[in-house]
Amino acid sequence: MSKRRIIITSESVTEGHPDKMCDLISDAILDEAIRQDKYSRVAIETATKNGGVMVFGEMTTRGYIDIPHVVRDTIKEIGYTRSDYGIEWETCSVWVQITEQSPDIDQGVSGKGANREIGAGDQGMMFGYACSETKEYMPLPIMLAHKLTKRLSEIRKNGSINYLRPDGKSQVSIEYDEKGQPLRADTIVVSTQHDPGVSHQRIRNDIIDKVISPVCGEWIDDKTIYHINPTGSFIRGGPYADAGLTGRKIMVDTYGSVARHGGGAFSGKDPTKVDRSAAYAARYIAKNIVASGIADRCEIQLAYAIGIAEPVSINVECYNTNKIPLDDIEVYVREFFPLKPGEIIEALNLRRPIYKKTAAYGHFGREEPDFSWEKTDKSKILKKESGV
């Protein structure tokens, strides 16, 4: 009997995708608030369609944020400099509807409530994941998908392909063996917005030569399938072609559907929101467990109740790759890692204006100095304590 092929697929989008544009704007506003007041409470959503941007939510801060200015600067930085691209930074409308954070929530996350310490800003479940199949301790499909979209944006901005426009997507399907090790790229999809009058064959050749081959070369073989702008053309893009909204690309932001997701988006939320900070902490825990050699794959689930500091549950899943019992791993999680919101914020130094750079190309698996949750500083003590 022939062995079953295991194919896992993940996608990414460029910073010019309407949803991702909204993530960037929400996090740009968050960064500006934290830059002026590191204790700012922010929960900002952004939506866009045609030539308009809507910013709404809650914010309590001692600073003053010129919201339209931040919005326009972010759109310009992305590359929407002409209205026929889908939106234009200088002439777009910006509608703002923001109120202060609810005082009922504030007392639970500021130490003023019944528990007298920083509690979770909401209930929910957060997941972190790591695996040993790449040097970034991330699943290969999502890492390649992110590198493709980032490469698309880089060559657009440096003029290597001068007909590209900001909107774009990638999707990578990787074939695995029965032991869960990646073998090859089965299918690679790239869709990129472009100027009118450019032939499909030229786009296909340029994308394969200048985007796909440099990123995926070692995984490509003669059976790899390419789909480049599979509809034939992609001229109309951005908010003109599709509405955008903060938080609609949560699997793109995390592990590309390889791991579970609690459902809470990250962008526009300050670190008292455990949707973001606890997801970062869970990634930090999982990555250190895999880096220590205790397991080849690890998923951490944390769950919280609003206003309560201690997680209501912790679950460790290593998919039978763990070298020591899961109960022992949970003991190490509780002993060596920050789990309360206040501890997480302090240990990972999250009251900094670092969030805009997280919004595109993934929150995890990136070698950025400010991404404190990507450190493996606990791996040595875990290795020593576990004896692996």
Side-chain angles (χ1 to χ4, degrees):
M1 185 170 65
S2 61
K3 294 180 180 178
R4 175 177 173 267
R5 290 204 313 161
I6 303 169
I7 297 180
I8 297 175
T9 301
S10 296
E11 69 162 346
S12 180
V13 297
T14 67
E15 63 204 71
H17 185 282
D19 292 331
K20 194 47 64 181
M21 184 179 96
C22 291
D23 288 340
L24 280 157
I25 290 170
S26 294
D27 273 338
I29 294 168
L30 170 63
D31 275 358
E32 187 57 32
I34 292 177
R35 186 175 289 110
Q36 297 184 40
D37 174 11
K38 68 179 183 178
Y39 295 103
S40 295
R41 301 282 169 70
V42 182
I44 293 297
E45 310 287 346
T46 303
T48 183
K49 178 60 183 170
N50 293 338
V53 176
M54 293 150 280
V55 179
F56 49 97
E58 299 80 47
M59 178 159 51
T60 300
T61 181
R62 293 177 296 177
Y64 170 75
I65 295 88
D66 185 340
I67 302 290
H69 181 76
V70 174
V71 169
R72 295 181 192 282
D73 277 358
T74 303
I75 294 172
K76 181 182 180 182
E77 185 180 316
I78 290 169
Y80 281 114
T81 55
R82 291 169 45 180
S83 59
D84 60 339
Y85 286 179
I87 195 169
E88 197 273 328
W89 70 278
E90 202 166 21
T91 59
C92 68
S93 63
V94 180
W95 179 77
V96 180
Q97 191 74 289
I98 296 175
T99 61
E100 288 190 334
Q101 183 185 55
S102 163
D104 300 325
I105 297 175
D106 175 73
Q107 68 178 355
V109 299
S110 61
K112 301 174 186 175
N115 296 289
R116 299 300 175 188
E117 63 180 324
I118 296 176
D122 203 350
Q123 68 180 40
M125 301 75 64
M126 298 83 214
F127 291 87
Y129 179 82
C131 60
S132 59
E133 66 186 67
T134 64
K135 65 182 179 62
E136 297 91 354
Y137 296 98
M138 288 285 287
L140 182 61
I142 190 65
M143 287 309 300
L144 292 180
H146 282 322
K147 289 177 181 180
L148 287 172
T149 51
K150 190 171 185 181
R151 176 77 176 164
L152 262 182
S153 289
E154 288 171 351
I155 63 172
R156 170 176 59 87
K157 291 180 176 181
N158 67 26
S160 296
I161 303 180
N162 60 11
Y163 55 79
L164 296 182
R165 293 180 173 186
D167 201 352
K169 288 183 173 184
S170 70
Q171 185 172 282
V172 178
S173 300
I174 297 294
E175 182 179 350
Y176 287 76
D177 64 19
E178 64 277 7
K179 296 180 180 179
Q181 295 302 307
L183 297 174
R184 54 181 291 274
D186 182 80
T187 305
I188 299 172
V189 183
V190 175
S191 296
T192 180
Q193 188 187 10
H194 60 87
D195 291 342
V198 184
S199 72
H200 183 265
Q201 190 60 49
R202 180 184 176 188
I203 295 170
R204 178 182 172 85
N205 292 342
D206 283 347
I207 295 302
I208 291 175
D209 181 49
K210 297 181 180 179
V211 178
I212 296 176
S213 294
V215 169
C216 304
E218 66 177 296
W219 300 102
I220 294 170
D221 60 23
D222 57 3
K223 295 182 180 179
T224 299
I225 300 167
Y226 302 101
H227 294 300
I228 313 300
N229 281 13
T231 63
S233 65
F234 185 0
I235 297 169
R236 179 183 292 189
Y240 184 36
D242 190 13
L245 185 64
T246 299
R248 259 198 324 212
K249 288 290 178 283
I250 57 175
M251 303 313 295
V252 170
D253 289 341
T254 53
Y255 308 101
S257 78
V258 170
R260 289 175 288 183
H261 197 295
F266 302 156
S267 290
K269 297 177 181 177
D270 75 82
T272 66
K273 278 69 173 176
V274 286
D275 279 343
R276 182 168 221 157
S277 55
Y280 289 177
R283 161 65 177 173
Y284 177 51
I285 296 167
K287 185 174 181 181
N288 275 272
I289 288 170
V290 175
S292 72
I294 288 176
D296 294 326
R297 295 173 64 198
C298 180
E299 182 186 77
I300 300 292
Q301 182 197 49
L302 304 175
Y304 293 85
I306 188 167
I308 306 300
E310 287 280 358
V312 298
S313 68
I314 300 170
N315 186 54
V316 181
E317 173 60 70
C318 292
Y319 307 94
N320 297 318
T321 68
N322 45 300
K323 280 68 169 188
I324 63 174
L326 293 176
D327 287 345
D328 291 349
I329 298 176
E330 184 176 327
V331 169
Y332 295 146
V333 170
R334 294 182 181 277
E335 182 176 356
F336 297 118
F337 292 95
L339 296 171
K340 297 180 180 180
E343 294 172 346
I344 293 169
I345 291 168
E346 182 177 356
L348 300 182
N349 193 15
L350 297 180
R351 295 194 193 275
R352 297 173 292 148
I354 58 172
Y355 297 105
K356 183 180 176 183
K357 67 179 69 174
T358 69
Y361 314 117
H363 293 246
F364 308 122
R366 293 168 57 187
E367 297 175 354
E368 296 272 357
D370 287 331
F371 287 34
S372 52
W373 50 93
E374 291 297 314
K375 298 183 297 183
T376 55
D377 56 329
K378 301 288 187 180
S379 60
K380 288 184 179 179
I381 191 169
L382 289 176
K383 189 176 184 67
K384 180 180 177 182
E385 290 291 323
S386 64
V388 297

